[in-house]
Amino acid sequence: MSSFVGIGCMSGSSLDGLDVCCVEFTGDICSDLWGYRILNAETISYDEQWTERLRNAAMLSAAHFVKLNVDYGLFVGHSVARFITKHRLDHKVQFVASHGHSLFHSPHDGVAFQLGDGEVTATVLKVPFVTSFRSKDVCLGGQGAPLVPCGEKFLFRNSDICVNLGGIANIGVRGLVGYDICACNIMLNYLASKANAGMAFDKDGELARNGNVIPEVLVKLKNIAYYQDAAPKSLWTDYIDSNIMPILDTDKYIVVDLLRTCTEHVASMAANACLEAKNSLATTLLGNAPTVLITGGGALNKFLMENIRQLIEVQGLVVQEVDEETINFKEALIFAFLGMRCLLGVENVFRETTGARKDSVSGSIHRPATCPALKNKSLLH
């Protein structure tokens, strides 16, 4: 048995902050069977300045964009360094892995870019740093997303279906099939901020609960062209900004009604994806009810979860109970796992999920500026 301790970082499209999770992985490299234990985790919220810089990054000039890439690399490095000091992890952590912050995602053009210069981040850390997990897969003809199912197949084997309700909702089916379902918290958080300028999100979905469904908006959302595409497929902010956000006209419609309508839309799309997954698993379930693990910020939205549960439990699926730490930090811990696999030199991105020509060992490795005595050379070399 082998044991490795690493930190995973995740910054999602909802712009709520940087999730940082220190996790211990224990397993056997030869059999590729792994378990995990979260040691410490927290979300480092973006202040107003960082939120605006990230939101407007795609509109910057080349020179200002490069500066932002450096600055964000330093932000990640210093945030992780403070996290390590705060939780006294200096002598435990062997590596750090970060998803970065996605800004450009156009796999059909061979483009996937996550903000944060890895070499810059590495100057702040004392252990190897792994980032840029999507680019290789895109160059191999894949979507470069979603990557979380690539970790679910090892760490969440007791779940038949995994749904993450983040800025964009995605699904993984036993770590094999995976795709982005629909826009989720990107829409809900935007509308919450329109309802109240100081509101980052609709807590427990209470605003949406008091709204009414707008039939014509619901129909427009359901008819978005992306939903007709076959998996593997991925959704990103440029597409959402161009094709979805214009439907949410806050000048024409009452904001709480838009919130209710979007909640209904997300619940319906997630339920449909789960039902399709159930049907695809029919020959392997042997009469057992398929289990569904739901995580991400949207899983804390009580009204959204009520709607999803109502739609999928009537179809014979079982929603698993899950602790809040897993809900909030599942993606960060999986990127730590993908980083560990990269350092071990074993595949961490799989063609079944992304549609690439072949599996790959993805991620760029950045060494610290100085290398103290290495604690586990089999991992770090």
Side-chain angles (χ1 to χ4, degrees):
M1 295 288 284
S2 300
S3 178
F4 306 110
V5 176
I7 289 176
C9 303
M10 177 68 196
S11 175
S13 52
S14 53
L15 292 175
D16 51 355
L18 181 70
D19 293 335
V20 183
C21 180
C22 181
V23 57
E24 179 182 22
F25 299 107
T26 303
D28 179 68
I29 297 173
C30 294
S31 65
D32 223 1
L33 296 174
W34 296 92
Y36 74 90
R37 179 170 66 100
I38 294 177
L39 304 180
N40 302 94
E42 65 179 86
T43 297
I44 299 167
S45 299
Y46 293 131
D47 60 24
E48 186 175 342
Q49 182 182 23
W50 265 116
T51 300
E52 288 305 307
R53 291 186 76 183
L54 294 174
R55 179 176 289 126
N56 299 318
M59 296 178 285
L60 295 175
S61 67
H64 286 99
F65 187 86
V66 170
K67 178 65 165 63
L68 177 62
N69 193 41
V70 170
D71 289 348
Y72 189 72
L74 286 172
F75 171 82
V76 171
H78 287 300
S79 296
V80 171
R82 285 192 294 268
F83 176 87
I84 289 172
T85 300
K86 176 182 177 180
H87 296 288
R88 301 180 180 179
L89 298 169
D90 301 75
H91 301 295
K92 293 182 180 179
V93 175
Q94 296 166 281
F95 67 94
V96 176
S98 175
H99 167 268
H101 185 83
S102 286
L103 289 179
F104 301 106
H105 186 76
S106 182
H108 297 298
D109 297 320
V111 175
F113 181 83
Q114 284 69 53
L115 194 69
D117 189 311
E119 285 291 85
V120 171
T121 303
T123 64
V124 185
L125 304 175
K126 299 178 182 178
V127 293
F129 177 68
V130 188
T131 190
S132 190
F133 290 95
R134 299 186 189 273
S135 300
K136 186 181 291 181
D137 183 79
V138 169
C139 286
L140 290 170
Q143 291 288 309
L147 297 185
V148 170
C150 297
E152 290 168 350
K153 69 185 294 182
F154 298 97
L155 302 178
F156 294 91
R157 293 186 301 274
N158 293 327
S159 301
D160 295 308
I161 301 166
C162 291
V163 174
N164 184 70
L165 301 175
I168 296 170
N170 60 56
I171 188 169
V173 186
R174 291 186 178 169
L176 299 174
V177 177
Y179 60 92
D180 289 336
I181 301 171
C182 63
C184 183
N185 293 333
I186 285 180
M187 296 189 300
L188 301 180
N189 293 353
Y190 165 76
L191 291 171
S193 70
K194 288 294 184 180
N196 185 326
M199 185 177 289
F201 58 93
D202 180 13
K203 183 173 174 56
D204 296 332
E206 288 304 316
L207 288 177
R209 190 187 297 274
N210 292 311
N212 298 298
V213 172
I214 308 169
E216 62 185 274
V217 173
L218 190 61
V219 169
K220 288 180 180 179
L221 290 171
K222 288 182 177 179
N223 287 337
I224 290 168
Y226 171 80
Y227 302 140
Q228 310 309 315
D229 296 338
K233 58 182 179 178
S234 57
L235 190 59
W236 200 243
T237 51
D238 287 348
Y239 186 91
I240 293 169
D241 289 342
S242 300
N243 297 275
I244 297 177
M245 301 310 279
I247 298 172
L248 311 180
D249 188 345
T250 56
D251 293 326
K252 183 177 180 180
Y253 303 107
I254 298 171
V255 174
V256 293
D257 291 347
L258 286 170
L259 268 167
R260 175 63 179 263
T261 305
C262 287
T263 300
E264 179 91 6
H265 173 67
V266 173
S268 175
M269 296 303 299
N272 289 342
C274 289
L275 183 58
E276 289 178 8
K278 175 191 175 184
N279 293 337
S280 73
L281 295 171
T283 59
T284 64
L285 291 171
L286 303 177
N288 297 316
T291 54
V292 184
L293 176 68
I294 303 178
T295 57
L300 300 175
N301 183 322
K302 293 180 180 179
F303 184 57
L304 175 59
M305 286 298 296
E306 287 170 16
N307 279 267
I308 293 175
R309 281 180 179 272
Q310 183 177 2
L311 290 170
I312 67 175
E313 289 181 345
V314 72
Q315 298 291 342
L317 294 100
V318 177
V319 178
Q320 295 176 302
E321 297 300 320
V322 59
D323 61 276
E324 194 165 316
E325 199 168 48
T326 301
I327 287 175
N328 286 325
F329 298 103
K330 173 168 164 273
E331 288 189 302
L333 82 86
I334 283 181
F335 274 98
F337 184 71
L338 299 184
M340 181 196 75
R341 293 182 70 82
C342 175
L343 287 162
L344 290 172
V346 293
E347 289 83 357
N348 57 358
V349 176
F350 302 96
R351 60 184 177 180
E352 294 93 343
T353 301
T354 67
R357 292 188 295 275
K358 59 183 177 181
D359 300 342
S360 64
V361 181
S362 288
S364 59
I365 301 171
H366 305 269
R367 301 293 178 185
T370 57
C371 291
L374 300 178
K375 291 173 285 185
N376 194 319
K377 295 184 178 181
S378 64
L379 173 67
L380 302 181
H381 283 305

